[in-house]
Amino acid sequence: MIARFFYKIPCSAITPEGYMRRQLELQAAGLTGNISSLWEDLSDNSGWLGGRGESWERGPYFMDGLLPLAALLQDENLEKQALMWVNAVIASQREDGFFGPPWNRDWWPRLVVLKALVSYYGATGDPRVIPFMERFLRYFYEHVDREPPYFWAAARALEAGEAIELVYRETGGEYLPALVHKLKEYMYDWFACLGNFPYRQPMTAYINRTILNFLKNLAEPVDELLKKRRKIRPPRPKDKILKFNGHKIVRLLSLTHGVNIAMALKYPVTYGMLTGRKEYYPLPRRSYEQLMKYHGTAAGLWTADEHLSGPNPANGIELCAVVELMYSLEELLSITGDPAYADLLELVAYNALPATFTPDMCCHQYVQQVNQIAANVKRRQFYDTKSDANVYGLEPNYGCCTANMHQGFPKFAANACYQTAQGLAFMLYLPCTVRTEYRGRPLAFRVSTEYPFREQIKIEMIEGPESDLDMTLRIPALTSGEIFYNGVSEGPHPAGLYTLQKNFRKGDLVEINLEAPVTVCANPDGSISLRKGSLLLALRLKEIYQPLKGREPFNYRQYISGGAWNYAPLLREGKAVVLGEKTAAVPPMPFDPDAPPLIVTVKGVKVLNWKEKQHSAGPYPTRPEPGTPVNLEMVPYGCTNIRMAQFPIIKEA
């Protein structure tokens, strides 16, 4: 087993502060803290709590976000709720190691439980966790040849990777490497798929949308009944499982599914770490580049609603794909140490993630559009979603995102700092205090910043003895920076990693002053977008709120634009014409569309022949007809409910 490049710090050792703490508190006061009273599937009747309700992936998904959120905030009510779920899951384990609702034998949700318990164990050291995991993993190893992973589990089997790593490091179980090999053998061949990605067309090129939705409408009621069935049935025969998984249509649906891809992106590196095969480490970056080339958007994700949909920014990006890509990037960053994963992780976390929630985190979308001129119930060109897929609410379209959304911000905050053999690595910038040990001595550093809305970061040693350590820092993509140690410049640095080797004492201060110019970035569809460091900038539209149903703040709602949306920035010698930047304090709701902490005004123009199509922004015209120049207000993409963020290229006359 290969050691990680960066070692994760327990999330209980990181105390979020400033705007990030407010963001997590909004989540706790919003859907995460109230979901059990709002939604039957995560109520006390959940099958994972011993009830007779939903017994598949939704309880485990919720645990995966609830447990780190409780640890980060050290909130008594959240901790009590988290312990209730942990106690119920541990109490459900049989003598042979299997656990969970006995009428549901699917491996998949149990792998999510293991993943959730990794962060819980790091935060609490609960002595029950390792024996619980070890018993189940041994059961898994002994039974996987008789009952291989089926359907979703066949696509996602290596989600168990972090738990297998933890148990192996704690116990040295010799069967665990063999289990890893078995999972790769039974899993879909992601390595070949990601190495030379074959699905380069939108899903409509492979299966007609009308036919798929007809079959789906027939299958969904049966699937719902099977998931609610309480009869304990014998395992599926191995030959039937393998035959089903190998069916051409099943394989196609699995390998083009946006969330499956978001999870699988890390699997070559996970497998390589667990088996000592470092030659697989370059594969995720290569596969990500291919995905973006054929299906990518300015938000750092590919469109998939729910299956790959090409580079059109009016196609949807599922919330589950956002949070699962974030977890994959966190694993890839920790294992490989490649700062490119940190750059991409911040792009997703500071843009795509907040944009798919209302700013109070009481409502969410199923899919977001990078070019989203309305979020309403009118039917769009989406491939495999219903007409309410991009409204904001409790459970728009389907409930998987309602259960899975909770992990995004907590896990991101928990990865702000890592340990290395020689010291600490600050790879994601957010306000927090980090308390850890180095060579047996307690240390604490405080990160003070309003990054990414501001360009200054301060890291102060606030506790601990004099320590000779390396501090690894990152200059983010699309920026440059100057680093100061106790007021003395360490010199300017381009984007990338820099290691500060000092004998740190209490009171020492490291300052990073970034320069993040407004940058024009090319998109896969031939459009351009504006970035300012990690922030994607979006055209600020007038948002008109319209309630649909339910009681505020946890109601269903839609937003429409109160004006024109078909504008584009003008380019002068390939650069945006920036007329001014206005900054304001980060508001109580950090991603509030009514009070964005940054407004960039650029010179732009109305595109007269850019029209609406199927209730979305149509494809940009290849020969745009510009109107009279106007000033455009661009705001952080995450500070929008509706927006435009990909534009045709129009040069200033």
Side-chain angles (χ1 to χ4, degrees), residues 22-54:
R22 297 199 301 275
Q23 187 67 39
L24 294 173
E25 288 173 342
L26 285 168
Q27 180 174 335
L31 282 171
T32 302
N34 291 279
I35 196 75
S36 62
S37 62
L38 296 169
W39 198 38
E40 172 67 16
D41 285 355
L42 292 177
S43 70
D44 292 345
N45 195 39
S46 166
W48 293 93
L49 295 176
R52 300 187 63 80
E54 201 273 344

Side-chain angles (χ1 to χ4, degrees), residues 181-376:
H181 288 297
K182 287 179 182 290
L183 295 181
K184 181 178 181 296
E185 176 186 348
Y186 289 123
M187 195 170 62
Y188 291 115
D189 191 0
W190 283 112
F191 290 41
C193 182
L194 295 174
N196 184 23
F197 198 74
Y199 303 108
R200 303 180 179 187
Q201 300 295 321
M203 191 62 173
T204 50
Y206 307 109
I207 301 181
N208 178 273
R209 179 175 182 262
T210 302
I211 293 173
L212 176 78
N213 280 276
F214 173 76
L215 296 174
K216 183 179 176 181
N217 290 335
L218 290 178
E220 274 189 347
V222 177
D223 183 57
E224 285 297 312
L225 288 173
L226 290 175
K227 286 177 181 175
K228 293 178 180 178
R229 190 170 65 174
R230 297 295 172 264
K231 182 179 180 181
I232 298 176
R233 64 182 189 275
R236 293 184 179 92
K238 178 178 180 177
D239 59 338
K240 289 188 176 181
I241 292 175
L242 297 181
K243 182 178 180 180
F244 177 85
N245 290 345
H247 192 282
K248 181 180 178 180
I249 298 298
V250 173
R251 187 174 182 276
L252 175 66
L253 293 173
S254 297
L255 293 176
T256 59
H257 190 271
V259 180
N260 285 351
I261 295 169
M263 294 178 179
L265 203 64
K266 65 180 171 292
Y267 292 165
V269 166
T270 300
Y271 180 79
M273 177 188 67
L274 295 174
T275 61
R277 302 287 298 276
K278 209 167 185 177
E279 66 267 25
Y280 290 116
Y281 280 24
L283 191 55
R285 281 194 67 174
R286 187 163 73 246
S287 55
Y288 176 78
E289 290 169 1
Q290 292 182 67
L291 279 162
M292 294 301 288
K293 179 179 179 180
Y294 300 110
H295 305 282
T297 69
L301 289 106
W302 48 90
T303 65
D305 45 39
E306 292 186 357
H307 298 272
L308 293 170
S309 301
N312 181 355
N315 288 332
I317 299 169
E318 188 179 339
L319 173 51
C320 278
V322 174
V323 295
E324 292 298 349
L325 177 61
M326 288 177 63
Y327 174 63
S328 288
L329 293 169
E330 288 151 8
E331 283 290 276
L332 289 166
L333 173 60
S334 174
I335 294 169
T336 70
D338 186 341
Y341 294 126
D343 292 329
L344 178 54
L345 178 53
E346 285 191 346
L347 174 63
V348 175
Y350 287 132
N351 298 283
L353 181 62
T356 198
F357 294 101
T358 52
D360 59 6
M361 293 203 73
C362 290
C363 306
H364 75 91
Q365 295 176 293
Y366 189 77
V367 296
Q368 65 178 287
Q369 298 166 289
V370 173
N371 282 358
Q372 183 166 281
I373 61 174
N376 57 15

Side-chain angles (χ1 to χ4, degrees), residues 315-633:
N315 288 332
I317 299 169
E318 188 179 339
L319 173 51
C320 278
V322 174
V323 295
E324 292 298 349
L325 177 61
M326 288 177 63
Y327 174 63
S328 288
L329 293 169
E330 288 151 8
E331 283 290 276
L332 289 166
L333 173 60
S334 174
I335 294 169
T336 70
D338 186 341
Y341 294 126
D343 292 329
L344 178 54
L345 178 53
E346 285 191 346
L347 174 63
V348 175
Y350 287 132
N351 298 283
L353 181 62
T356 198
F357 294 101
T358 52
D360 59 6
M361 293 203 73
C362 290
C363 306
H364 75 91
Q365 295 176 293
Y366 189 77
V367 296
Q368 65 178 287
Q369 298 166 289
V370 173
N371 282 358
Q372 183 166 281
I373 61 174
N376 57 15
V377 293
K378 292 186 177 180
R379 190 165 183 82
R380 289 171 168 76
Q381 74 286 353
F382 299 154
Y383 178 75
D384 185 16
T385 57
K386 300 170 186 174
S387 60
D388 67 344
N390 84 326
V391 306
Y392 292 83
L394 172 65
E395 190 189 5
N397 193 78
Y398 191 66
C400 59
C401 293
T402 306
N404 196 19
M405 48 157 274
H406 311 272
Q407 65 170 304
F409 280 117
K411 288 189 179 181
F412 177 71
N415 280 266
C417 181
Y418 301 104
Q419 280 191 302
T420 68
Q422 294 78 35
L424 296 175
F426 291 88
M427 297 299 291
L428 307 172
Y429 294 127
L430 53 95
C432 64
T433 293
V434 179
R435 289 180 170 82
T436 186
E437 289 188 357
Y438 178 65
R439 295 176 179 170
R441 297 178 294 181
L443 297 175
F445 288 85
R446 173 167 290 133
V447 182
S448 302
T449 187
E450 290 187 334
Y451 176 93
F453 309 110
R454 303 290 183 270
E455 297 171 4
Q456 292 76 39
I457 300 140
K458 296 181 179 180
I459 305 173
E460 181 185 4
M461 183 173 173
I462 59 173
E463 293 177 19
E466 185 175 319
S467 301
D468 184 13
L469 58 82
D470 293 354
M471 180 183 288
T472 302
L473 305 168
R474 168 179 148 265
I475 304 298
L478 304 183
T479 75
S480 59
E482 188 168 6
I483 298 172
F484 294 84
Y485 175 71
N486 289 335
V488 179
S489 176
E490 296 287 318
H493 299 281
L497 297 184
Y498 178 77
T499 300
L500 197 62
Q501 297 175 314
K502 300 292 180 181
N503 192 28
F504 284 88
R505 300 175 178 85
K506 184 177 178 180
D508 280 2
L509 181 65
V510 176
E511 297 172 274
I512 307 170
N513 293 336
L514 298 173
E515 290 188 12
V518 175
T519 304
V520 176
C521 297
N523 297 312
D525 68 339
S527 66
I528 57 101
S529 293
L530 302 186
R531 289 266 303 272
K532 187 172 173 61
S534 295
L535 291 176
L536 173 63
L537 299 179
L539 176 64
R540 191 180 193 187
L541 302 180
K542 183 180 179 181
E543 300 181 356
I544 298 177
Y545 163 74
Q546 296 178 332
L548 292 173
K549 62 179 180 178
R551 181 180 297 178
E552 293 183 338
F554 302 105
N555 62 323
Y556 288 80
R557 59 185 70 178
Q558 60 184 18
Y559 292 89
I560 61 172
S561 176
W565 54 266
N566 51 334
Y567 293 93
L570 286 172
L571 302 185
R572 179 187 297 164
E573 297 180 353
K575 297 182 179 180
V577 183
V578 179
L579 303 175
E581 294 185 14
K582 180 181 177 181
T583 60
V586 179
M589 292 187 295
F591 295 95
D592 188 350
D594 293 330
L598 173 68
I599 300 175
V600 178
T601 302
V602 300
K603 190 174 182 181
V605 66
K606 191 171 187 178
V607 184
L608 302 177
N609 58 338
W610 195 0
K611 304 297 183 181
E612 181 177 319
K613 183 178 180 181
Q614 289 184 268
H615 308 298
S616 294
Y620 67 87
T622 55
R623 294 184 178 180
E625 298 176 9
T628 305
V630 294
N631 295 345
L632 302 179
E633 285 192 349

